[in-house]
């Protein structure tokens, strides 16, 4: 077939496609040509020799096709092009012509770059989401790149003497490395020979195999873990020696630095710098060695940072910029690592470490010096040029660079600015298209702040004196007519630096609030935000501006807290001066919506945090400030409605009516003023809105350019709006009043319901699994449907895909997710909106999402909302809701492959069985055996070993898929589920004996219960012991069963050694008062779900309504609270929660608890503190040695880890936990954790250790296939949960950490468990509870 | 106003001579000029004579010049083909430059009076670019407005400029710069930058002192820089 393609043809094609996305898309529709094209480059498939020239041209075309047209990219991926290219690269010999090899490498680079951009997380903003098969295919392609075999082929090319070959590979690394997983994969990579030497005895299991399914978050982490294991063990094996293969940074980093040091080629330098950026971003394991220069042979290169430093003075602007970026990221990540504490979210180091640890001023000064030197060299000239014909990225960096000049050097300040000005006049392109320059300039404002971020280092709560005056003078320059646009853009996105700098930070938050900037901010917000969008105000927006707002919104939401900190400083100083401009700002019809998100999010979370610290003193005050004093709600409303065409808004209601079960009600909706529903204007009155189509799902054929249109932005804005509502809804009183009155609640509801019509329409038409009509060559919708189609009611699961295919105006998935999250908060028991929602058909819609959506986070959030709706509700409502959900369905959910879903499902059981009626309902409707066997299975610690098959036939589809593919994470991952199942069981046990006697007839259940009791931490034990207690009390005659199950012995053991630990525990906290640390409500970003400890300054997590509410109702509701502690938190929960509750408003106490809570490694209880994090109080010798010499520490930590593990295993073998306790002084109960397969790698290496902290933190925004830094989609609960969990494991894996886990476990043997155990024992032994 | 200090020529010269300037640096400056301005033969010769290692493949100089000439004579198609042969990434990743070339092509159509071709080309090639990147639209419109005038003389200068040779030169310069960039070369002749710097420095000094200037503007041939 290749013979049909001639070189002339190829050249012609090449010239036609280059630079022309339309032509690319068109070409990709020609399957014949595409196939022959790919065959041309496939050196394996062609028998006859294809001329190298043809291959060369074909590779060029492939490279070009992979950029700019999704359709073309998709076709290429379908044809396995990456694989073919990689194979070819592996087959080439040095005798093959260099241009050919280079062309292949570049083609691969181009494909990978596009793929990575689609897989994301994108570097800036909420990108148009790619859905359907392309998403899957790109993920596969990306995981292919990070497969060890591929790396074995590609990475050695870095050593190629020719820059032409090395450069594309370096660029490939720079663009593809986006997630923590990628970073760890790369930084732990060793070339095959070294790898063999390093871990000859290692198991064959490779982490990369797992990454292939990032959609199921649970898969990715276990993937990462073995990788870590490899690196860590490598480090330990090498004795933690510096310069060892896996020593800090790793082989790849070393090679990159080597390239950087040797090459004179600026392209290669730039690429290497960017690759280092990609690797070092948020990754202290790489950044610290780079910054401190401990790893690389110092006599050869010197510290890498110094090298980068010199490159900042390169003659080439690109290199300068890349070097600046690189240095910034290195500094930042290494700073973060020295403040590991700041990355753990339940940690109040404001009063402790935060203020005391001196910042590494030297590094910052270095950067400043570099910049000043750059300025002195007069690089402005070159930068100025960059403003014109630059692509997006370059322009961004150019602006950033320019602002470096502006900010750091007052003397040169005027010059570059004037040059910009002059340039704008001179350049016809820019002159004629002002948006371009405005765009570029407005990007600057990100970097104004960004730069400030460098200056404001994490531990200093002050802005570097250099920066502010200059920013201010820039802002007040009289002739700066661009100021308004700049300000607007500066304004919302000033949260950016947080993303680059600090983590969410309670201290910062507090600081921001203390500065009382709210008035200033609100003024600004109102000034620039038109309540009623002007007619067509979106039309004039260039893509850049649109994009910008997205970027802004994204950052705003992600990192609002610390951003607030920077912003406060910046704005208070500079905006006050610039206040006269605000008048004109109001006239600029754009960028209106983000400031308030930031504001609300910021203040909302701040309020929550403050509330925790001060028991709600400020809470209302601040929220009221938002809602009443400043009246921001209308703006949020505008945001929620942005981008939705008016007809869509109005039809939202009607769309439900024809077929929805509650159709009658929807019509009356706007009239229903009862119980404070008020203003349903929200949904029904349609103000003139711009006609931007809301669909993100444009047709398949659209080019990238089109996809980035304004519509996307609107989705981002709505997304942000939903986030705001969610935050606001955390406040009980706000939830009860303002959210209702303002109509925000209904607006969010409208968003949730918006998609209903599609489904309804589909069902109404009687066409199940209707295929997409406009899908062209994409047959995936059908395929998906077939795959999961055997649901009980026969409905296809092609929901999401189908939506796109139908091209209907369905809400963007991410917006829907955020809205669901908000709904979760809104449907709390005390919310007046709950009954309204339910009446208006929330439940069917949730079920719809649950059943049809293929998106796991949507399903999770929907189920969560169901659970929350069920909390403390009447039997009537329960029955109604369950008739919507279906008992069979619930049963299936109990066996869902997704553990987080299981967890929620058990939570539902738990909520259902909160009273006797409910219990009866559960037993009756679902069947005693079905329920109890499910629970038996769920609480089995050795899941795979006990393949208890579910009784119900309906579950057959779900359960086999359960965890066989996730062997490692089983116990740790399952623990949240396990806890919920136990609580459900505890509820079910507490009924009348007629109901609960069946429990005692399940020997396996009792055995499992006993195992839980014996081997788990307190979070598990607590419900377990509760079950036992209830059973023992209620059924005196049936105690036999309990005794048979060996419960007595276990209880006795608990009681025997309990008090020792209780002593320690109670010294920290008094448990009794708090009752169970129930966590109601939800924190839509999932993983960081809060306990009482919700000091959690992660925006999007943080405390929920629950906290306040729970405090009010703390006494009795423990069992019925929907509880969602993440793994990271749940063990910590007890300590923190009790502290918080017990010690009242003392935030310091909270902090103390936070230490032990979030960082199991920290073990803040002196007797057990094997290790303290740097800067934490009472830093031990160990921590001192970290800073001084990581190598030593590594060795030490490795020892500790091994020791701990040995001890743990010993303990397990002997089944005599007292011994272990005696030997270690702690940690008897470390056994179940330490012996789990996932703990097979406790040997730490310094890099990973130091990552631990940031790892914790960054885990949240990231996720499988989710970048740590920039992923636009903070809501990804399963991922978060998972990462959180890994954080713990990671922590536990490192030296003292294992000890720490031990401490955590033994600490868990808290008073409450002990007392209940004691009581149960008395009941069992003496027949009454008198013993206690 | 304080009296300006007067610096005599001798003093000036002696100070100038104190500044160490290596011959090699000067050679590199010349080389830089020759390479960037595309004097392939001269560059080759010079690199041999001055014993300078070539910083760049001389062939690329030639192809760059051919491209530049093609643009200067209005053969955009040929230029595009050659740019793609040289490095397919240049135009693919630089939408603005690609647009600029397409625009030039449209101008050439209009110049040649091939209105039908021009329209078709604008429709098929340029309009999609405008859709992809709205910032090009205005420039596109400006170009299209050429069609409204019978000949360039009637058109307002802002539009007529497009037909001027300067437009070709400008496009050629941009392409040249992009190619240089892709070759990791500087885009501007360093000598030119130095001259600008000299002028700027002189103008600053002029406010404070009288000194013998280098009269580049007056007659750049008579004075040299040494």
């Amino acid at each position: 077939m290749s013979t049909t393609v001639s070189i002339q043809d190829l050249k012609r094609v090449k010239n036609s496609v280059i630079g022309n996305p339309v032509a690319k898309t068109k070409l990709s529709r020609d399957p014949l040509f595409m196939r022959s094209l790919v065959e041309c480059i496939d050196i394996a498939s062609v028998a006859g020799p294809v001329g190298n020239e043809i291959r060369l041209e074909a590779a060029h075309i492939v490279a070009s096709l992979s950029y700019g047209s999704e359709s073309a990219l998709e076709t290429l991926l379908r044809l396995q092009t990456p694989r073919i290219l990689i194979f070819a690269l592996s087959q080439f010999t040095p005798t093959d012509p260099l241009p050919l090899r280079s062309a292949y490498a570049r083609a691969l680079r181009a494909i990978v770059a596009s793929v990575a951009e689609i897989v994301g997380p994108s570097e800036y903003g909420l990108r148009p989401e790619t859905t359907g098969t392309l998403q899957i295919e790109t993920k596969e392609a990306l995981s292919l790149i990070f497969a060890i075999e591929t790396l074995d082929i590609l990475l050695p090319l870095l050593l190629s003497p020719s820059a032409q070959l090395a450069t594309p590979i370096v660029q490939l690394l720079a663009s593809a490395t986006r997630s923590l997983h990628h970073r760890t994969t790369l930084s732990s990579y060793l070339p095959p020979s070294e790898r063999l030497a390093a871990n000859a005895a290692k198991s064959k299991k490779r982490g990369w195999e797992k990454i292939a399914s990032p959609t199921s978050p649970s898969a990715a982490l276990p993937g990462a873990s073995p990788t870590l294991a490899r690196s860590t063990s490598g480090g330990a094996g090498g004795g933690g020696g510096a310069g060892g293969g896996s020593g800090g940074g790793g082989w790849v980093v070393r090679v990159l630095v080597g390239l950087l040091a040797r090459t004179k080629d600026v392209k290669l330098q730039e690429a290497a710098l960017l690759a280092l950026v990609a690797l070092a971003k948020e990754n202290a394991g790489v950044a610290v060695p780079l910054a401190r220069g401990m790893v690389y042979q110092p006599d050869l290169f010197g510290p890498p940072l110094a090298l980068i430093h010199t490159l900042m003075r390169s003659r080439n602007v690109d290199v300068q910029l890349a070097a600046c970026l690189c240095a910034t990221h290195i500094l930042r990540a290494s700073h973060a690592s020295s403040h590991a504490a700041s990355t753990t979210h339940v940690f109040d180091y404001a009063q402790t470490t935060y203020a005391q640890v001196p910042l590494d001023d030297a590094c910052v000064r270095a950067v400043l010096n570099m910049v000043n030197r750059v300025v002195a060299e007069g690089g402005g000239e070159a930068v100025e040029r960059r403003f014109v014909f630059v692509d997006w990225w370059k322009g961004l960096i150019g602006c950033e660079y320019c602002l470096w000049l502006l900010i750091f050097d007052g003397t040169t300040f005027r010059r570059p600015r004037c040059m910009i000005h002059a340039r704008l006049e001179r350049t016809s392109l820019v002159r004629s298209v002002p948006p371009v320059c405005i765009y570029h300039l407005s990007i600057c404002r990100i970097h104004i702040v960004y730069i400030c971020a460098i200056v404001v280092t994490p531990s200093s709560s002050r802005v570097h004196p250099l920066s502010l005056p200059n920013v201010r003078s820039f802002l007040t320059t009289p002739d700066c007519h661009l100021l308004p646009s700049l300000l607007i853009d500066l304004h919302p996105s000033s949260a950016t630096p947080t993303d680059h700098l600090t983590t969410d930070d309670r201290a910062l938050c507090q600081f921001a609030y203390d500065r009382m900037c709210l008035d200033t901010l609100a003024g600004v917000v109102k000034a620039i935000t038109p309540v009623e969008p002007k007619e067509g105000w979106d039309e004039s927006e260039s893509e850049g501006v649109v994009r910008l707002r997205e970027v802004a919104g994204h950052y705003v939401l992600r990192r609002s807290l610390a951003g607030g900190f920077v912003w406060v400083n910046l704005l208070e100083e500079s905006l006050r001066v610039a206040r006269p401009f605000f008048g004109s700002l109001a006239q600029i019809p754009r960028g209106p919506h983000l400031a308030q998100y930031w504001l609300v999010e910021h203040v909302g979370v701040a309020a929550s945090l403050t509330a925790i610290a001060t028991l709600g003193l400020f809470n209302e005050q601040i929220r009221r400030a938002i809602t009443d004093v400043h009246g921001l709600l209308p703006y949020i409303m505008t945001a929620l409605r942005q981008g939705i065409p008016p007809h869509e808004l109005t039809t939202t209601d009607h769309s439900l009516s024809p077929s929805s079960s509650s159709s009658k009600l929807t019509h009356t909706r706007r009239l229903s003023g009862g119980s404070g529903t008020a203003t349903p204007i929200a949904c029904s009155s349609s103000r003139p809105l711009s006609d931007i189509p809301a669909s993100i799902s444009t047709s398949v054929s659209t080019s990238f350019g089109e996809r980035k249109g304004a519509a996307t932005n609107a989705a981002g804005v709505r997304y942000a709006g939903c986030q705001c509502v969610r935050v606001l809804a955390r406040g009980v009183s706000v939830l009860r009043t303002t959210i209702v009155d303002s109509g925000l609640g209904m607006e969010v509801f409208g968003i949730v319901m918006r998609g209903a019509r599609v489904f309804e329409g589909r069902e109404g038409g009687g066409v199940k699994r209707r295929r997409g009509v406009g899908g062209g060559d994409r047959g995936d919708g059908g395929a998906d449907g077939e795959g999961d189609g055997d649901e009980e009611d026969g409905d296809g699961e092609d929901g999401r895909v189908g939506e796109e295919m139908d091209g209907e105006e369905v809400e963007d998935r991410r917006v829907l997710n955020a809205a669901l999250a908000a709904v979760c908060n809104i449907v709390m028991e005390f919310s007046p909106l709950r009954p309204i929602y339910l009446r208006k058909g929330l439940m069917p819609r949730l079920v719809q999402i649950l059943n049809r959506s293929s998106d796991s986070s949507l399903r999770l959030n929907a189920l969560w909302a169901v659970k929350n709706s069920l909390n403390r509700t009447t039997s009537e409502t329960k029955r109604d809701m369950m008739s919507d959900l279906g008992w069979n369905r619930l049963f299936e959910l109990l066996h869902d492959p997704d553990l987080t879903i299981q967890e929620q499902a058990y939570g539902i059981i738990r909520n259902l069985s909160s009273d006797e009626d409910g219990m009866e309902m559960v037993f009756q409707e679902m069947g005693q055996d079905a329920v109890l066997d499910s629970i038996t299975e769920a609480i089995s610690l050795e899941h795979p070993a006990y393949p208890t098959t579910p009784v119900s036939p309906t579950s057959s589809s779900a359960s086999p898929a359960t965890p066989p593919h996730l062997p490692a994470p089983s116990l740790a991952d399952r623990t949240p589920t396990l806890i919920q199942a136990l609580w459900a069981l505890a509820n079910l046990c507490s009924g009348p004996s007629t109901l609960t006697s069946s429990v005692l007839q399940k020997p396996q259940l009792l055995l499992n219960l006993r195992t839980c009791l014996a081997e788990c931490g307190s979070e598990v034990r607590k419900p377990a012991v509760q079950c036992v207690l209830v059973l023992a009390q209620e059924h005196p005659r049936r105690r036999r069963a309990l005794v048979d199950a060996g419960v007595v012995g276990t209880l006795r053991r608990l009681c025997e050694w309990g008090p020792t630990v209780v002593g320690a525990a109670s010294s920290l906290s008094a448990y009794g008062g708090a009752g169970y640390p129930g966590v109601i409500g939800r924190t839509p970003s999932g993983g960081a779900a809060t306990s009482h400890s919700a000091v959690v300054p992660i925006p999007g997590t943080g405390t929920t309504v629950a906290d306040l509410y729970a405090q009010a109702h703390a006494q009795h509701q423990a069992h019925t609270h929907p509880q969602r502690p993440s793994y990271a938190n749940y063990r910590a929960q007890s300590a923190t929660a009790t502290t918080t509750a017990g010690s009242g408003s003392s935030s310091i106490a909270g902090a103390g608890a936070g230490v032990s809570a979030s960082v199991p490694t920290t073990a803040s209880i002196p007797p057990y503190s094997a290790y303290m994090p740097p800067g934490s109080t009472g830093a031990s010798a160990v921590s001192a040695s970290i800073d001084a010499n990581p190598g030593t520490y590594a060795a030490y930590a490795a020892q500790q880890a091994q020791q701990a593990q040995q001890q743990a295993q010993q303990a397990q073998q002997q089944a005599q936990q007292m011994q272990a306790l005696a030997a270690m002084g702690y940690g008897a109960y470390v056994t179940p954790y330490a012996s789990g397969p996932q703990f097979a790698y406790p040997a730490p290496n310094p890099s990973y250790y130091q990552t631990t902290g940031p790892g914790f933190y960054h885990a949240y925004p990231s996720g499988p296939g989710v970048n740590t830094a920039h992923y636009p989609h903070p809501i990804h609960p399963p991922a978060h949960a998972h990462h959180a969990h890994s954080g713990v494991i990671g922590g536990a894996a490192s030296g003292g950490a294992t000890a720490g886990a031990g401490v955590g476990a033994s600490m868990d043997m808290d008073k409450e468990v002990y007392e209940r155990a004691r009581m149960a024992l008395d009941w069992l032994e003496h027949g009454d509870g008198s013993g206690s | 106003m304080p009296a300006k200090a007067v610096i005599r020529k001798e003093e000036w010269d002696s100070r100038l001579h104190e500044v160490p300037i290596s011959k090699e640096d000067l050679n590199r400056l010349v080389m830089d000029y020759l390479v960037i301005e595309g004097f392939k033969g001269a560059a080759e010769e010079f690199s041999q004579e001055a014993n300078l290692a070539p910083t760049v493949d001389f062939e690329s100089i030639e192809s760059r010049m051919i491209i530049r000439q093609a643009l200067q004579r209005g053969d955009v198609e040929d230029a595009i083909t050659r740019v793609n042969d040289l490095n397919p990434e240049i135009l693919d990743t630089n939408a603005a430059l690609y647009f600029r070339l397409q625009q030039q092509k449209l101008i050439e159509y209009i110049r040649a009076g091939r209105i039908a071709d021009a329209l078709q080309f604008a429709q098929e090639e340029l309009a999609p670019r405008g859709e992809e990147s709205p910032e090009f639209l205005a420039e596109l419109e400006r170009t299209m407005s050429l069609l409204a005038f019978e000949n360039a003389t009637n058109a307002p200068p802002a539009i007529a400029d497009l037909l001027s040779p300067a437009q070709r030169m400008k496009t050629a310069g941009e392409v040249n710069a992009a190619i240089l960039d892709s070759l990791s070369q500087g885009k501007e002749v360093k000598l030119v930058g130095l001259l600008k710097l000299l002028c700027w420095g002189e103008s600053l000094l002029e406010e404070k002192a009288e000194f013998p200037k280098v009269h580049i503007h007056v007659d750049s041939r008579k004075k040299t820089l040494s």
Side-chain angles (χ1 to χ4, degrees), chain A residues 480-496:
Chain A
C480 184
H481 63 275
L482 292 165
L483 179 64
S485 64
L486 191 62
L487 258 186
I488 281 193
D489 297 321
L490 166 71
H491 178 61
S493 64
S494 30
T496 308

Side-chain angles (χ1 to χ4, degrees), chain B residues 143-164:
Chain B
T143 314
M144 292 303 282
S145 55
L146 278 176
L147 291 170
F149 300 98
E150 276 297 317
N151 55 53
T153 47
N154 305 341
I159 292 173
D161 278 354
L162 289 175
L163 286 175
S164 69

Side-chain angles (χ1 to χ4, degrees), chain A residues 198-366:
Chain A
N199 51 357
K202 275 293 159 210
S203 75
K204 286 296 171 209
K205 192 160 65 156
R206 300 286 187 216
W208 48 267
E209 285 166 344
K210 290 291 173 52
I211 197 187
S213 55
T215 36
S216 85
S218 47
L221 245 222
S225 307
T227 318
L228 282 175
R230 227 160 357 108
S231 78
T232 51
S233 61
S246 64
W251 186 86
V252 178
V253 175
R254 227 172 42 210
V255 169
L256 286 175
V257 173
L259 282 176
L260 204 54
R262 276 187 296 270
T263 187
K264 295 280 177 237
D265 181 344
V266 288
K267 283 271 179 278
L268 183 53
Q269 283 177 343
E270 185 191 357
L273 284 167
L274 292 177
L276 285 176
V277 169
L279 275 164
K281 203 182 263 179
E282 324 285 359
N283 187 357
V286 169
V288 170
L290 285 175
R292 312 268 150 87
M294 297 169 300
V295 176
Y296 311 96
Q297 304 90 320
D299 47 324
L300 251 183
F301 305 136
L305 189 58
L307 179 66
I308 292 161
H309 182 172
T310 55
L311 286 173
M312 289 176 113
R313 287 174 287 163
S314 159
R315 300 226 167 257
N316 184 287
V317 182
D318 291 328
V319 175
Q320 287 174 358
L321 301 173
C324 279
L325 204 60
C326 193
T328 307
H329 277 288
I330 289 173
L331 285 178
R332 209 168 41 73
S334 51
H335 270 294
S337 79
S338 61
H339 295 277
S342 74
T343 59
T344 60
H345 46 279
V346 214
F347 191 59
D348 181 7
Y349 50 89
Q351 284 84 8
T352 56
T353 61
Y354 181 76
Q356 289 166 15
V357 174
L359 77 133
D360 204 349
D361 231 19
C363 288
V364 179
R365 277 177 203 289

Side-chain angles (χ1 to χ4, degrees), chain A residues 11 14-24 57 60 63-65 67 106-107 109 171 265-268 315-316 318 381 385-386 388-391 394 415 426-429 431-433 435-436 541-543 703 705-706, chain B residues 77 80-100 102 124-125 128-129 131-139 142 158 167 170 174 180-188 190 196 200:
Chain A
K11 286 210 170 198
K14 181 181 79 175
N15 286 325
S16 76
V17 294
I18 281 182
N20 191 337
V22 179
K24 291 177 188 178
E57 291 300 324
H60 285 329
S64 175
L65 283 178
Y67 169 86
R106 289 200 300 209
R109 194 264 332 268
Q171 287 166 336
D265 181 344
V266 288
K267 283 271 179 278
L268 183 53
R315 300 226 167 257
N316 184 287
D318 291 328
E381 184 77 9
R385 275 205 311 272
R386 303 213 65 82
V388 190
F389 294 106
V390 282
D391 61 22
K394 291 270 172 58
R415 206 163 57 106
R426 268 207 308 278
T427 314
S428 60
L429 180 68
R431 189 179 56 209
S432 54
V433 192
V436 173
E541 291 188 328
S542 72
E543 179 200 318
S703 67
E706 287 167 80
Chain B
E77 193 67 52
I80 291 180
T81 308
R82 285 175 186 279
V83 172
N84 285 342
D85 281 342
L86 193 63
N87 185 345
E89 283 175 22
I90 294 176
L91 293 181
D92 216 6
T93 55
N94 194 339
L97 183 65
Y98 187 63
F99 173 79
R100 177 49 59 97
Q102 302 272 54
E124 289 175 0
E125 292 288 336
R129 298 296 86 72
E131 277 173 34
E132 288 153 16
S133 318
E135 61 264 32
F136 299 144
L137 277 179
E139 188 69 358
R142 187 163 80 103
Q167 179 72 17
K170 198 168 135 194
E174 279 163 14
L180 282 169
D181 191 41
S182 78
L183 294 170
S184 308
Q185 288 286 308
K187 282 185 286 192
E188 202 167 80
K190 290 196 179 92
K196 284 182 184 167
W200 181 72

Side-chain angles (χ1 to χ4, degrees), chain A residues 905-1108:
Chain A
Y906 280 109
I908 287 177
I909 298 267
R910 181 181 167 186
N911 276 345
L912 281 172
S913 56
S914 60
D915 54 30
E916 226 164 84
D917 268 1
M919 258 176 265
E920 217 161 321
M921 203 191 303
V922 172
F923 277 134
Q924 262 176 16
E925 298 285 349
M926 201 180 261
Q928 284 185 357
D929 287 345
V931 180
L932 294 177
D933 288 347
S934 301
I935 292 178
T936 308
E937 191 188 352
I939 66 172
S940 156
L941 290 188
E942 296 147 69
H943 197 62
Y946 287 85
T948 40
T949 39
V951 187
S952 162
T954 51
S955 66
S956 53
S957 61
S959 56
T962 319
H965 61 292
L966 309 169
S970 54
L971 180 59
D973 278 352
R974 283 174 53 237
T975 306
T977 311
L978 197 147
I979 292 171
Q980 286 304 321
L982 279 171
W983 279 121
L985 180 62
N987 275 359
L988 288 173
C989 288
S990 60
S993 53
T994 45
L995 289 178
T996 42
S997 59
S998 56
V999 174
L1000 292 166
Q1001 288 160 2
K1002 298 275 178 192
Q1004 187 62 50
L1005 178 62
L1006 294 178
L1007 273 179
N1008 288 352
L1009 185 61
R1010 188 198 67 85
T1011 324
C1012 288
L1013 206 52
E1015 295 182 13
C1016 292
S1018 111
E1019 283 306 309
V1020 176
R1021 276 191 197 143
K1022 212 178 294 166
V1025 85
Q1026 177 71 19
C1027 292
V1028 172
L1029 178 61
V1030 176
L1031 288 174
Q1033 283 171 344
E1034 294 290 326
H1035 306 283
R1037 266 168 295 169
R1038 297 188 187 266
R1039 277 173 212 146
R1040 192 75 236 154
L1042 283 174
V1043 176
D1044 285 347
V1047 172
V1048 174
T1050 309
L1051 285 174
R1052 215 171 266 148
R1053 246 193 329 274
L1054 281 182
C1055 296
E1056 269 168 18
W1057 65 273
T1060 350
V1061 196
V1062 169
S1066 55
S1067 74
L1068 174 77
S1069 60
Y1071 237 103
Y1076 296 99
V1079 180
I1080 339 174
R1082 62 159 342 268
T1083 50
S1085 60
T1090 62
S1091 60
H1092 272 305
S1093 61
V1095 190
V1096 195
I1098 290 184
T1101 63
T1103 137
T1104 65
V1105 171
D1107 301 301
L1108 299 171

Side-chain angles (χ1 to χ4, degrees), chain A residues 1273-1288:
Chain A
H1273 183 199
I1275 294 199
H1276 207 299
H1280 296 165
H1282 212 84
H1283 274 281
H1285 140 67
S1286 102
V1288 171

